Amino acid sequence: MQGVIAAAEPAAESALGAGVTLAVAAGAVAVLLLMIVFLKMQPMIALLAVSITTALVLGIPLDQVMSTLNDGLGGTLAEVALIVGFGAMLGRMLEISGGASVLADSLVRRFGERRAPLALGIAALLFGFPIFLDAGVVIFLPIVFTVARRLGGSVLRYALPVVGAFAVMHAFVPPHPGPVSAAGLIGANTGLLLLVGLVVGIPTWFISGYLFGVWNGNRVFLSIPENSTASGQDAASDKPRPSMGAVIGLLLLPLVLIFLRTGLNTLVSEDMVDSGSQAVQAAILLGQSPVALAIAVLVASVALGLKRGMSGKEIESELTSSLSTIAAVILITGAGGMFGAVLGEAGVGNALAEGLNNAGIPLIVAAFLIAVVMRVAQGSATVALTTAAGFIAPAVAAAPGLSSADLCLIVIAIASGATVLSHVNDSGFWLVGRLLGMDVPTTLKTWTVMETLIGVVGFLISWGLSLVL
């Protein structure tokens, strides 16, 4: 990767000069954070208001403001909506079938009781592909409590590797909304991002989630919350649960299709296969992320739904209800795309590229630092990812010599910055703390430190890879 942004022919020049343009952009971000953090304004409304105001201040003609906003919104939603929607559906089918219990119980038996934290963490990594952080934590904690009660010791030994795995997958790997939206704004390929996210995310989890989790759990004793059921069973335990092979197969199905597409695209680019072949084009189509996830949802509907005694109407109801939980996320992501489009149209990218070049700050480092500021100020990792990606995207477009891998590593750097320092303004801080029965100081010593380690380790790995690729 290019170490520092070099001069490039910009797509858009600012009429206000680089200094004023950057000042306006920084002011827009500050106002945005003020509206979201202190005024408690709904993020989508705040992003729309700030985008329009910024467009006017930066001199975008009145008759072009809405077209700029629509281009940013539409382009982002085209990347995000189907991927996140089908990912939520797949996660819901796995959740209601009891697949989490099947996978976790089987792994504990295979790894042995001494390696129970590792087994639970690996199960969470697998389920973290389609399941969001909040849902994954809620699903897995009863299993964690059951294992902790049976084996003894601090519940943190078993819980931190699990919540750390979900945090890593939620931040680094599609189809989660943060990395998908950032990829759309940066222009990174989501299939390649999935590969890069796993390459960076797995060692990041092992260091920050597993090793730290076990070490921290041995130092900080936390008993099982008194109000926990510790059942480790799905809600519909009277129905047959899926087999281990069925669960693993469903998790691997979209991954295999996406990996196949990525490999074929590479072979096509190297002229090793015929790009005009109908078979090749069909395989590439099936490996498109939305198509691969849609296929997985259809298979899950049959294997986990119909064969488990659910009617078609029940399956449709569950799949539809899963969309209600991510509708707001999708719209907020689209609004973040509007903000990024305004910055790009106004020439902020060229101004930021010039400023970073003069300061000697590598682009990937700047992306990480911007995301850290967003994360600490407003709490939500998804909003921090989207806002930081929108801010840095014009600079990425203005920087020459960036490969597809470079773009993915920039997305991972943004995701890393958006993960660190989870504190009292982050809903995940309260969710994990309350479900585990921790007070605020204990949550800060455990969850916050682990999230910060995830962000720092993930960034250092992605930065190191950017220097050698």
Side-chain angles (χ1 to χ4, degrees), residues 83-97 126-127 129-131 175 247 249-255 292-301 304 318-319 322-323:
I83 294 176
V84 176
F86 287 130
M89 291 182 186
L90 179 59
R92 182 58 179 164
M93 291 306 301
L94 290 168
E95 176 186 348
I96 64 175
S97 69
L126 292 172
F127 263 76
F129 167 65
I131 297 178
V247 175
L250 282 171
L251 291 171
L252 291 179
L253 175 58
L255 290 176
L293 285 168
I295 292 172
V297 171
L298 290 174
V299 174
S301 298
L304 304 183
E318 292 290 351
L319 294 181
S322 69
L323 297 178

Side-chain angles (χ1 to χ4, degrees), residues 13 15 40 84 103-104 111 116 125 136 142 164 192 202 272 284 287-288 318 373 387 395 400:
E13 283 283 357
K40 307 301 180 184
V84 176
L103 184 58
F111 279 77
L125 282 174
L192 182 59
I202 290 175
M272 298 179 67
I284 291 176
Q288 295 286 345
E318 292 290 351
V373 173
T387 309

